[in-house]
């Protein structure tokens, strides 16, 4: 079952953001099956709860999204 952080926002934002999150995480699991990749995935799953954030990064490549997290949090 889905144990990821519950997203917050409007119903429409949440629905959209969940789709973006799911696609991003699937891609990252494929691209970056490393310890660092896992830390980034874990962060994306558990720390980012604003639907708005996901919608804001929707046009980025999954590896660019990962790069933002690495840069911001030093993984």
């Amino acid at each position: 079952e889905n144990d990821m952080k519950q997203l917050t926002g409007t119903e429409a934002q949440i629905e959209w953001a969940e789709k973006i999150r799911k696609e991003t995480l699937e891609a990252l699991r494929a691209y970056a099956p490393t310890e660092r990749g896992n830390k980034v995935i874990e962060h994306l799953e558990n720390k980012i709860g604003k639907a708005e954030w996901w919608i804001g990064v929707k046009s980025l490549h999954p590896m660019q999204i990962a790069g933002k997290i690495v840069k911001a949090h030093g993984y």
Side-chain angles (χ1 to χ4, degrees), residues 16 20-21 23-24 52-65 68:
W16 192 14
I20 297 163
R21 176 166 74 173
E23 289 169 0
T24 300
E52 251 177 347
W53 187 91
W54 285 102
I55 293 164
V57 297
K58 72 183 182 304
S59 60
L60 297 180
H61 185 281
M63 291 304 280
Q64 290 177 298
I65 295 173
K68 281 173 78 82

Side-chain angles (χ1 to χ4, degrees), residues 14-68:
I14 289 169
E15 200 176 313
W16 192 14
E18 280 178 345
K19 185 174 183 289
I20 297 163
R21 176 166 74 173
K22 181 176 183 284
E23 289 169 0
T24 300
L25 293 173
E26 282 172 3
L28 288 176
R29 286 191 184 95
Y31 292 132
T34 60
E35 194 177 331
R36 177 187 247 180
N38 288 336
K39 283 182 179 164
V40 170
I41 288 165
E42 204 171 288
H43 185 97
L44 290 169
E45 286 179 342
N46 301 314
K47 299 276 197 296
I48 297 176
K50 283 193 189 322
E52 251 177 347
W53 187 91
W54 285 102
I55 293 164
V57 297
K58 72 183 182 304
S59 60
L60 297 180
H61 185 281
M63 291 304 280
Q64 290 177 298
I65 295 173
K68 281 173 78 82

